[in-house]
Amino acid sequence: GNSVTQMEGPVTLSEEAFLTINCTYTATGYPSLFWYVQYPGEGLQLLLKATKADDKGSNKGFEATYRKETTSFHLEKGSVQVSDSAVYFCALSVTGRRALTFGSGTRLQVQP
Amino acid sequence: GAVVSQHPSRVICKSGTSVKIECRSLDFQATTMFWYRQFPKQSLMLMATSNEGSKATYEQGVEKDKFLINHASLTLSTLTVTSAHPEDSSFYICSARGPDASTDTQYFGPGTRLTVL
């Protein structure tokens, strides 16, 4: 079956630090990969996505590259801000099945 | 654009009662909506796929008679937890596929926290 594994949190960083949140997946076929972010009290928002191998998704300074050889989609940001504090979810969808399979979520706390 | 709302955001009920949760796409039509359940510190688990004008498709292990889903219009899907018990306490989240049918992007509601006493 399909599954997503992401690093457990919380991840606590100082402002301007480099961020990596690891995500690996298992899927049949060639999935699309997503990162969603959930700010306190809000719904999940799409942060970025990639639909095929070697694609790089990017948004708001965050990046993730679809690595087929390592089945990974790690999230990175060069310099985090306090406003980036949230829960980040890695997810996949497989063609023909429109629902998403989520990782467990990683809470990021950025301190000033 | 592409905003999804849920109501209520929080509900507390007594064991044995039924609770209805509404999910609305505010500025687009959604032929397909999804209902997820999230336990503390765990992943979102898909419960069912709600299709406008037809019966919902439930995931394995989800009781369709307990979790009634009605997708009566292109902007509204409801989830009714019937005869709720404390083990049904959870965070319920809906999503809808965006107006661009060519993408896999889903838009999520803010969630409903259900507590059954």
Side-chain angles (χ1 to χ4, degrees), chain A residues 89-110:
Chain A
F89 292 90
C90 185
L92 68 82
S93 71
V94 178
T95 302
R97 176 174 169 82
R98 277 99 179 248
L100 292 164
T101 299
F102 284 91
S104 57
T106 302
R107 182 175 299 278
L108 170 65
Q109 297 174 319
V110 180

Side-chain angles (χ1 to χ4, degrees), chain A residues 15 37 39-40 62 77 80-86 88 108 110:
Chain A
E15 209 165 19
V37 58
Y39 297 104
F62 291 90
K77 186 174 185 181
V80 294
Q81 305 300 312
V82 173
S83 57
D84 294 326
S85 298
Y88 292 82
L108 170 65
V110 180

Side-chain angles (χ1 to χ4, degrees), chain B residues 11-33:
Chain B
V11 57
I12 301 172
C13 69
K14 293 182 178 180
S15 185
T17 61
S18 295
V19 175
K20 179 185 286 188
I21 302 170
E22 294 185 347
C23 176
R24 294 182 184 272
S25 55
L26 298 185
D27 49 4
F28 66 101
Q29 293 183 333
T31 55
T32 302
M33 292 184 174

Side-chain angles (χ1 to χ4, degrees), chain A residues 45-67:
Chain A
Q45 302 173 24
L46 178 66
L47 180 60
L48 53 85
K49 70 175 186 179
T51 59
K52 62 182 187 296
D54 299 326
D55 269 1
K56 177 185 284 187
S58 61
N59 185 27
K60 299 181 181 180
F62 291 90
E63 293 183 339
T65 301
Y66 189 144
R67 300 288 188 198

